[in-house]
Amino acid sequence: MSHFTSCDTDFNLDTALVALMTDEPFYAELSRHIHKTPSRSLPTAAVAYDPKMDELVMYWNPDFFAKLTPWEVRGVLIHEFNHIVFGHLYGRRRQPGKLWNIATDCAINSLIMEAVRNGTMKRLTGDSPLPAGCIVPGAWPVMPDGRQMTDDEKAANKLAAVIAKFPTLQASEWYFNKLKEESDADKQAGGEGFDGEGEPGGIGTLDDHGAWEALPDDVREYVESKVKAVVEGAVKSADSRANGWGSVPASIADEIRKSVSNIINWRSVLRQFVGSLVRGGRTSSIKRINKRYPYIHPGTKRSYQAKLLVAVDMSGSVDNEMLSEFFAELGSLTKNVTIDVLPFDCEALDKDVFTWRRGTAVKAKRIRAGGTDFNAPTKLANDPKNRGRWDGMLVCTDGEAPAPIGSRIKRGWVLGKGRKLYFGSSELQIHMSDAKQASGAWR
């Protein structure tokens, strides 16, 4: 659960978000899949994953945003969204975290200022898209109150001097390695280095990165895949329209495309999807003491046996080998969940549902061979008479059908090797491939 709490606000963030739709379509599409929560528990803003809601969230301080110009508001939004685009939150984390936080801000803010210099970012009201105090490689940091650092302050601030000498447009790993080298050298010379507690040398990041450390390692791969699905949808949307990338340079757009072209270990992601259902199950019980309101409200009892509906595409385009792979991997999941299997094609009938018992072997058996309609299993799951019957649904398919209606329960897609959905979706997509994401630093 996030350590940020929500609050009421009169500041209208929607105005800035709507303006993104025209000027920055790529970021606007990303924004659609990121929940926005006002909070005064942090000084500026932050992006994180909320496991309780199973959503990417941007927390923002309305008092901070109220002081910004429209251009600075847009700059902060793009800054936050880029942390998600470039995988800074979890998969690429480096230690010490303080230096990684500074390094990622160097990489992102360098791109933002380059977009201003080359004219691809639309100018709005204000002098700069970045608020005072932001870290920008190749420049001395401006103090949070907007004034320039004095000569004495520059002489005393070793970290600021290092950042002022940095080149622009480098990857986060490049900035991190250089910061680590300079920090270690400072320690060897008798200094304190740059990775201590607090904001080193008076230089701080634009946003709060504390939530990045809070996510357990066992769910990070799941979150990475969820992020990939969101970014992939934004990439497809941007490529489908003129000027869809907005201020994103062509070279960076190409790097973003490559970042979502390969999917990480699908078996691990499949297990994490199931694990998220297990963690999410909880009910109220008067036999449990409520830690927050003891003896006033009932406590919480967690259920560790989730109920999963697996809809298996039996259409003629799904070959027998693909069906065998689906069933082989599903057998490993019965330890943690109760699995109901639903064979479907253009129809999905309740009478065809069967339960896969723990420890039993189920062979892939084709009982249908028609076309494919994803609405069929979704309508069955959404049926009011099935409310509470399942916690989530996986659709095993080759993806060859139009987009379905929305699902009342959490839905994910398991796609055969070399296959993909024929429509854009921010829902989790698990590609049956052991190919890994291309390695190497990018932004």
Short mmCIF file of all heavy atoms in Angstrom, two decimals, residues 398-423:
data_model
loop_
_atom_site.label_atom_id
_atom_site.label_comp_id
_atom_site.label_asym_id
_atom_site.label_seq_id
_atom_site.Cartn_x
_atom_site.Cartn_y
_atom_site.Cartn_z
N ASP A 398 -4.96 -16.90 -29.52
CA ASP A 398 -4.00 -16.41 -30.50
C ASP A 398 -4.25 -14.94 -30.82
O ASP A 398 -3.54 -14.34 -31.62
CB ASP A 398 -4.05 -17.25 -31.78
CG ASP A 398 -5.42 -17.22 -32.45
OD1 ASP A 398 -6.37 -16.64 -31.86
OD2 ASP A 398 -5.55 -17.76 -33.56
N GLY A 399 -5.29 -14.37 -30.22
CA GLY A 399 -5.55 -12.93 -30.35
C GLY A 399 -6.35 -12.52 -31.56
O GLY A 399 -6.59 -11.33 -31.75
N GLU A 400 -6.78 -13.46 -32.37
CA GLU A 400 -7.40 -13.12 -33.65
C GLU A 400 -8.91 -12.91 -33.53
O GLU A 400 -9.71 -13.75 -33.96
CB GLU A 400 -7.07 -14.19 -34.69
CG GLU A 400 -5.59 -14.31 -35.00
CD GLU A 400 -5.30 -15.32 -36.09
OE1 GLU A 400 -6.25 -15.85 -36.69
OE2 GLU A 400 -4.11 -15.60 -36.34
N ALA A 401 -9.29 -11.78 -32.92
CA ALA A 401 -10.70 -11.42 -32.80
C ALA A 401 -10.78 -9.95 -32.40
O ALA A 401 -9.81 -9.39 -31.87
CB ALA A 401 -11.41 -12.30 -31.77
N PRO A 402 -11.91 -9.31 -32.64
CA PRO A 402 -12.06 -7.90 -32.27
C PRO A 402 -12.04 -7.69 -30.75
O PRO A 402 -12.18 -8.63 -29.98
CB PRO A 402 -13.43 -7.51 -32.86
CG PRO A 402 -13.71 -8.55 -33.90
CD PRO A 402 -13.06 -9.80 -33.41
N ALA A 403 -11.90 -6.43 -30.35
CA ALA A 403 -11.87 -6.07 -28.93
C ALA A 403 -13.20 -6.43 -28.27
O ALA A 403 -14.26 -6.20 -28.84
CB ALA A 403 -11.58 -4.58 -28.77
N PRO A 404 -13.15 -6.98 -27.06
CA PRO A 404 -14.37 -7.34 -26.36
C PRO A 404 -14.87 -6.21 -25.47
O PRO A 404 -14.23 -5.15 -25.34
CB PRO A 404 -13.92 -8.52 -25.50
CG PRO A 404 -12.51 -8.15 -25.13
CD PRO A 404 -11.94 -7.44 -26.34
N ILE A 405 -16.00 -6.44 -24.85
CA ILE A 405 -16.52 -5.51 -23.86
C ILE A 405 -15.64 -5.56 -22.62
O ILE A 405 -14.81 -6.45 -22.46
CB ILE A 405 -17.98 -5.86 -23.50
CG1 ILE A 405 -18.05 -7.30 -22.92
CG2 ILE A 405 -18.90 -5.71 -24.71
CD1 ILE A 405 -19.43 -7.71 -22.46
N GLY A 406 -15.82 -4.60 -21.71
CA GLY A 406 -15.04 -4.58 -20.49
C GLY A 406 -15.40 -5.73 -19.56
O GLY A 406 -16.52 -6.25 -19.59
N SER A 407 -14.45 -6.13 -18.75
CA SER A 407 -14.64 -7.24 -17.83
C SER A 407 -14.87 -6.72 -16.42
O SER A 407 -14.16 -5.82 -15.95
CB SER A 407 -13.43 -8.17 -17.85
OG SER A 407 -13.56 -9.19 -16.88
N ARG A 408 -15.84 -7.31 -15.72
CA ARG A 408 -16.13 -6.92 -14.35
C ARG A 408 -15.02 -7.38 -13.41
O ARG A 408 -14.76 -6.74 -12.39
CB ARG A 408 -17.47 -7.52 -13.92
CG ARG A 408 -17.88 -7.20 -12.50
CD ARG A 408 -19.24 -7.81 -12.18
NE ARG A 408 -19.25 -9.25 -12.43
CZ ARG A 408 -18.74 -10.16 -11.59
NH1 ARG A 408 -18.16 -9.77 -10.47
NH2 ARG A 408 -18.80 -11.44 -11.89
N ILE A 409 -14.38 -8.49 -13.72
CA ILE A 409 -13.27 -8.99 -12.92
C ILE A 409 -11.96 -8.73 -13.65
O ILE A 409 -11.94 -8.44 -14.84
CB ILE A 409 -13.43 -10.51 -12.63
CG1 ILE A 409 -13.51 -11.30 -13.93
CG2 ILE A 409 -14.64 -10.75 -11.76
CD1 ILE A 409 -13.58 -12.82 -13.72
N LYS A 410 -10.87 -8.82 -12.93
CA LYS A 410 -9.55 -8.58 -13.50
C LYS A 410 -9.29 -9.57 -14.63
O LYS A 410 -9.47 -10.78 -14.47
CB LYS A 410 -8.50 -8.73 -12.40
CG LYS A 410 -7.08 -8.41 -12.84
CD LYS A 410 -6.17 -8.51 -11.63
CE LYS A 410 -4.73 -8.17 -11.99
NZ LYS A 410 -3.85 -8.25 -10.81
N ARG A 411 -8.88 -9.05 -15.79
CA ARG A 411 -8.69 -9.89 -16.97
C ARG A 411 -7.28 -9.77 -17.52
O ARG A 411 -6.71 -8.68 -17.57
CB ARG A 411 -9.70 -9.50 -18.06
CG ARG A 411 -9.60 -10.31 -19.34
CD ARG A 411 -10.77 -9.99 -20.28
NE ARG A 411 -10.85 -8.58 -20.62
CZ ARG A 411 -11.87 -8.01 -21.27
NH1 ARG A 411 -12.91 -8.75 -21.63
NH2 ARG A 411 -11.87 -6.72 -21.55
N GLY A 412 -6.70 -10.89 -17.89
CA GLY A 412 -5.40 -10.90 -18.54
C GLY A 412 -5.44 -11.79 -19.76
O GLY A 412 -6.39 -12.56 -19.96
N TRP A 413 -4.41 -11.67 -20.61
CA TRP A 413 -4.39 -12.39 -21.88
C TRP A 413 -3.11 -13.21 -21.97
O TRP A 413 -2.01 -12.70 -21.78
CB TRP A 413 -4.46 -11.41 -23.05
CG TRP A 413 -5.66 -10.52 -23.00
CD1 TRP A 413 -5.79 -9.34 -22.31
CD2 TRP A 413 -6.91 -10.74 -23.66
NE1 TRP A 413 -7.04 -8.81 -22.49
CE2 TRP A 413 -7.76 -9.65 -23.32
CE3 TRP A 413 -7.40 -11.73 -24.50
CZ2 TRP A 413 -9.06 -9.54 -23.79
CZ3 TRP A 413 -8.70 -11.63 -24.97
CH2 TRP A 413 -9.52 -10.54 -24.62
N VAL A 414 -3.26 -14.51 -22.27
CA VAL A 414 -2.11 -15.38 -22.53
C VAL A 414 -2.10 -15.67 -24.02
O VAL A 414 -3.03 -16.27 -24.56
CB VAL A 414 -2.20 -16.69 -21.73
CG1 VAL A 414 -0.97 -17.56 -22.01
CG2 VAL A 414 -2.31 -16.40 -20.24
N LEU A 415 -1.06 -15.20 -24.71
CA LEU A 415 -1.02 -15.25 -26.16
C LEU A 415 0.02 -16.27 -26.64
O LEU A 415 1.13 -16.33 -26.11
CB LEU A 415 -0.70 -13.87 -26.72
CG LEU A 415 -1.78 -12.83 -26.40
CD1 LEU A 415 -1.20 -11.44 -26.36
CD2 LEU A 415 -2.91 -12.90 -27.40
N GLY A 416 -0.36 -17.07 -27.63
CA GLY A 416 0.54 -18.08 -28.17
C GLY A 416 1.80 -17.47 -28.75
O GLY A 416 1.86 -16.27 -29.05
N LYS A 417 2.83 -18.29 -28.94
CA LYS A 417 4.11 -17.80 -29.44
C LYS A 417 3.94 -17.11 -30.78
O LYS A 417 3.34 -17.65 -31.71
CB LYS A 417 5.09 -18.97 -29.57
CG LYS A 417 5.53 -19.54 -28.22
CD LYS A 417 6.50 -20.68 -28.39
CE LYS A 417 6.95 -21.22 -27.04
NZ LYS A 417 7.86 -22.38 -27.18
N GLY A 418 4.50 -15.91 -30.88
CA GLY A 418 4.44 -15.15 -32.12
C GLY A 418 3.10 -14.50 -32.38
O GLY A 418 2.89 -13.92 -33.45
N ARG A 419 2.16 -14.58 -31.43
CA ARG A 419 0.83 -14.02 -31.63
C ARG A 419 0.67 -12.74 -30.83
O ARG A 419 1.41 -12.48 -29.88
CB ARG A 419 -0.25 -15.03 -31.22
CG ARG A 419 -0.13 -16.38 -31.91
CD ARG A 419 -0.13 -16.26 -33.43
NE ARG A 419 -0.03 -17.56 -34.08
CZ ARG A 419 -1.08 -18.25 -34.52
NH1 ARG A 419 -2.30 -17.77 -34.36
NH2 ARG A 419 -0.90 -19.42 -35.10
N LYS A 420 -0.33 -11.95 -31.19
CA LYS A 420 -0.61 -10.71 -30.47
C LYS A 420 -2.09 -10.39 -30.60
O LYS A 420 -2.79 -10.91 -31.48
CB LYS A 420 0.23 -9.56 -31.02
CG LYS A 420 -0.05 -9.22 -32.48
CD LYS A 420 0.83 -8.07 -32.96
CE LYS A 420 0.52 -7.72 -34.42
NZ LYS A 420 1.35 -6.59 -34.89
N LEU A 421 -2.58 -9.53 -29.71
CA LEU A 421 -3.96 -9.09 -29.79
C LEU A 421 -4.17 -8.24 -31.04
O LEU A 421 -3.28 -7.48 -31.43
CB LEU A 421 -4.35 -8.29 -28.55
CG LEU A 421 -4.45 -9.05 -27.22
CD1 LEU A 421 -4.79 -8.09 -26.10
CD2 LEU A 421 -5.48 -10.16 -27.31
N TYR A 422 -5.32 -8.34 -31.64
CA TYR A 422 -5.64 -7.54 -32.81
C TYR A 422 -6.21 -6.17 -32.43
O TYR A 422 -6.74 -5.47 -33.28
CB TYR A 422 -6.64 -8.30 -33.69
CG TYR A 422 -6.02 -9.31 -34.63
CD1 TYR A 422 -4.83 -9.96 -34.28
CD2 TYR A 422 -6.59 -9.59 -35.86
CE1 TYR A 422 -4.26 -10.88 -35.14
CE2 TYR A 422 -6.01 -10.52 -36.72
CZ TYR A 422 -4.84 -11.16 -36.35
OH TYR A 422 -4.26 -12.07 -37.20
N PHE A 423 -6.07 -5.80 -31.19
CA PHE A 423 -6.58 -4.51 -30.72
C PHE A 423 -5.69 -4.03 -29.57
O PHE A 423 -4.97 -4.82 -28.95
CB PHE A 423 -8.03 -4.64 -30.25
CG PHE A 423 -8.25 -5.72 -29.22
CD1 PHE A 423 -8.11 -5.46 -27.87
CD2 PHE A 423 -8.56 -7.01 -29.63
CE1 PHE A 423 -8.29 -6.47 -26.93
CE2 PHE A 423 -8.75 -8.02 -28.70
CZ PHE A 423 -8.61 -7.75 -27.34
#
